[in-house]
């Protein structure tokens, strides 16, 4: 298959750890086998922590990803896309870890984690979550951002509270990424981003990954590529052509779309966009180029140190 594919967020590693199979071969939405249908594929494997994983369990999952992805594992942003398949690691819900200290960030970064989010839907010692949507970035959260900056780690703001988003947008001096969030103007769900948030991400030089969860696409449990195209069109209308990619949330969603049901089915969306007269050059950027460029450039974004008063 001629197209390339970059997905900024899937939860497959927890499925493998809890239910069985391997990253290479499994019955889930994402596997190295499914990704091999593409000319080139890059996948960020998220380690989701709802508060049940301690540091040693997280590091164990990091090691599992490293071992099971083998030669595909990427340790340098500049290596992304230089292989048939590139496997990267993120941590979702950094502050949910029992006993978390900001010094843990350096250990995670050293082990190969390239991206982190401070929270999931609930509040934690670092930041408020969108599920409660009251509190913002805490003093400890600022310290965490400082350590992430020093370790050249990408900040993911999907799931944070609105106040937390604006606090981080003001404090964080590097580009912002929302790996798996859609446009709230198209689907009024709290997990989706307002136009103001989207524009702020674009102006930071960051990225937004389109989420394929039906409830975030149209508010129901039934959706298809038509719903995805509506979000893409709206984000483009705000100036997001070079800041949009895919963050499918595969293996972290309860139901899939009716047509794109796994990572190897994404060409259905590719063909639909071609049918709707989107330029192939843009579709290639959406599917691969924008996130690929962003990760490679990020090697040079870091070391703009934030200082907590």
């Amino acid at each position: 298959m001629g197209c390339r594919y970059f997905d900024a967020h899937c939860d497959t590693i927890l499925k493998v750890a809890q239910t069985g199979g391997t990253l290479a071969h499994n019955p889930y939405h994402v596997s190295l086998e499914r990704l091999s249908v593409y000319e080139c594929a890059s996948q960020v494997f998220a380690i989701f922590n709802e508060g049940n994983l301690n540091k040693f369990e997280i590091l164990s999952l990091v090691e599992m990803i490293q071992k099971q992805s083998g030669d595909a594992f990427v340790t340098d942003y500049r290596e992304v896309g230089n292989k048939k398949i590139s496997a990267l690691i993120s941590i979702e819900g950094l502050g949910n870890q029992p006993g978390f200290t900001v010094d843990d960030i350096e250990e995670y970064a050293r082990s190969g984690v390239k991206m982190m989010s401070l929270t999931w839907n609930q509040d934690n010692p670092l930041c408020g979550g969108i599920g409660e949507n009251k509190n913002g970035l805490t003093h400890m959260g600022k310290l965490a951002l400082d350590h992430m900056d020093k370790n050249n780690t990408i900040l993911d703001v999907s799931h944070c509270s609105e106040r937390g988003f604006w606090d981080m947008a003001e404090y964080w001096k590097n580009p912002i990424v929302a790996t798996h969030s859609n446009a709230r103007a198209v689907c009024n769900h709290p997990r989706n981003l307002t136009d103001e948030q989207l524009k702020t991400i674009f102006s930071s030089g960051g990225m937004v990954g389109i989420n394929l969860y039906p409830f975030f696409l149209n508010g129901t449990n039934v959706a298809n590529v038509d719903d995805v195209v509506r979000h893409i069109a709206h984000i483009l209308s705000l100036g997001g052509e070079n800041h949009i990619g895919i963050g499918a949330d595969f293996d972290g969603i309860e139901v899939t779309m009716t047509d794109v049901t796994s990572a190897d089915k994404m060409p259905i969306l590719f063909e639909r966009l071609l049918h709707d007269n989107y330029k192939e050059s843009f579709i290639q950027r959406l599917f691969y180029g924008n996130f690929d460029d962003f990760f490679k450039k990020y090697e040079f974004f870091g070391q703009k140190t934030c200082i907590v008063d």
Side-chain angles (χ1 to χ4, degrees), residues 4-266:
R4 300 179 296 168
Y5 178 60
F6 196 123
D7 177 21
H9 186 93
C10 78
D11 290 288
T12 309
I13 189 59
L14 289 185
K15 287 266 191 179
V16 168
Q18 296 170 358
T19 312
T22 65
L23 290 183
H25 306 284
N26 64 60
Y28 314 130
H29 301 153
V30 178
S31 66
L32 302 184
E33 183 177 39
R34 291 188 189 278
L35 295 174
S36 68
V37 304
Y38 297 100
E39 175 188 324
C40 177
S42 298
Q43 178 67 61
V44 180
F45 292 97
I47 298 173
F48 164 53
N49 192 357
E50 197 174 3
N52 56 320
L53 299 174
N54 61 36
K55 181 174 77 172
F56 301 104
E57 290 167 323
I58 292 170
L59 289 171
S60 176
L61 288 171
V62 169
E63 185 178 5
M64 182 182 293
I65 295 171
Q66 292 173 338
K67 287 183 176 178
Q68 294 195 10
S69 59
D71 291 340
F73 181 64
V74 170
T75 58
D76 187 308
Y77 293 119
R78 292 166 292 189
E79 295 177 5
V80 176
N82 293 342
K83 308 174 181 182
K84 168 75 171 175
I85 298 175
S86 298
L88 302 100
I89 304 176
S90 68
I91 293 176
E92 182 178 25
L94 190 66
N96 292 345
Q97 174 194 311
F100 171 79
T101 72
V102 293
D103 291 333
D104 295 338
I105 291 170
E106 182 176 357
E107 190 167 358
Y108 293 144
R110 228 178 17 245
S111 71
V113 176
K114 311 307 282 183
M115 182 160 56
M116 303 176 190
S117 69
L118 299 190
T119 188
W120 189 59
N121 288 337
Q122 70 274 66
D123 293 359
N124 66 34
L126 303 184
C127 190
I130 193 62
E132 299 179 50
N133 203 25
K134 293 184 295 184
N135 298 315
L137 183 67
T138 68
H139 181 78
M140 187 176 182
K142 291 180 178 180
L143 291 174
L145 292 184
D146 289 348
H147 280 69
M148 287 175 60
D149 181 57
K150 290 175 184 176
N151 287 280
N152 209 24
T153 307
I154 297 170
L155 171 63
D156 180 6
V157 297
S158 286
H159 287 287
C160 72
S161 67
E162 290 186 50
R163 181 178 166 191
F165 175 94
W166 292 114
D167 288 346
M168 285 189 276
E170 180 180 2
Y171 189 77
W172 184 250
K173 305 307 178 186
N174 297 327
I176 299 168
V177 177
T179 56
H180 55 304
S181 296
N182 295 335
R184 197 178 301 181
V186 178
C187 176
N188 188 23
H189 191 287
R191 269 281 285 108
N192 291 337
L193 299 165
T194 67
D195 287 359
E196 292 74 21
Q197 288 175 312
L198 288 166
K199 290 176 183 178
T200 297
I201 291 172
F202 303 159
S203 64
S204 79
M207 287 288 299
V208 173
I210 294 292
N211 191 314
L212 302 189
Y213 187 36
F215 281 100
F216 299 164
L217 290 169
N218 65 20
T220 77
N221 64 354
V222 179
N224 59 31
V225 289
D226 294 342
D227 299 289
V228 181
V229 172
R230 279 190 281 272
H231 285 270
I232 292 170
H234 183 75
I235 289 173
L236 290 182
S237 75
L238 300 176
E241 181 173 343
N242 297 317
H243 304 278
I244 184 173
I246 304 296
D249 209 4
F250 280 139
D251 291 317
I253 55 181
E254 297 159 359
V255 293
T256 65
M257 295 161 53
T258 56
D259 38 18
V260 180
T261 56
S262 57
D264 52 322
K265 305 296 184 185
M266 288 297 293

